[in-house]
Amino acid sequence: MASTLLSIQILPHTPGGESVIPYVDRAIEIIQSAGVPYRVGPLETTMEGELPELLAIVAKMNEEMVKMGCRSILSQVKIYHNVDGITMKELTQKYDETV
């Protein structure tokens, strides 16, 4: 069982004031390619895994934004770490039926 949940909202300052949507889509592709469980929400994406692994994904997301021409990126990160293990389902299962 994973020990960490990490939620990220990435807000790149795009070149020329372009829409952030293609940049956010690319950031989500990086999460997908990492192979960790994740859930995309309207304002942030939550990943499940081990802390070092998840932080490396965040770093890769930011590096990719720079490669795409962003001169600055704001990443808002929330981390819940539990040595006994934690899953997204454990925290949200009582609400899943209401969505």
Side-chain angles (χ1 to χ4, degrees), residues 5-41:
L5 299 178
L6 183 148
S7 293
I8 181 166
Q9 179 186 40
I10 193 162
L11 301 166
H13 185 179
T14 60
E18 299 170 30
S19 169
V20 298
I21 299 302
Y23 296 83
V24 172
D25 287 344
R26 178 64 186 124
I28 293 170
E29 288 173 5
I30 290 167
I31 295 169
Q32 291 171 327
S33 69
V36 297
Y38 69 95
R39 181 180 292 174
V40 176

Side-chain angles (χ1 to χ4, degrees), residues 4 8 17 22 24-25 30 38 49 56 67 81 85 88 90 92 96 99:
T4 304
I8 181 166
V24 172
D25 287 344
I30 290 167
Y38 69 95
K67 287 180 188 174
H81 184 74
M88 289 180 279
E90 283 180 78
T92 62
D96 286 343
V99 178

Side-chain angles (χ1 to χ4, degrees), residues 9 15 52 68 71 77:
Q9 179 186 40
M68 292 176 73
R71 302 292 296 156
V77 176

Side-chain angles (χ1 to χ4, degrees), residues 40-91:
V40 176
L43 298 176
E44 64 187 12
T45 298
T46 301
M47 300 179 279
E48 185 178 299
E50 299 306 318
L51 185 57
E53 169 187 37
L54 300 179
L55 291 174
I57 295 167
V58 170
K60 187 172 182 179
M61 291 165 68
N62 279 270
E63 291 162 4
E64 184 65 19
M65 296 301 105
V66 172
K67 287 180 188 174
M68 292 176 73
C70 299
R71 302 292 296 156
S72 67
I73 302 101
L74 175 62
S75 294
Q76 296 186 22
V77 176
K78 299 175 199 169
I79 297 171
Y80 176 45
H81 184 74
N82 185 323
V83 296
D84 296 324
I86 190 65
T87 66
M88 289 180 279
K89 184 174 178 92
E90 283 180 78
L91 291 182

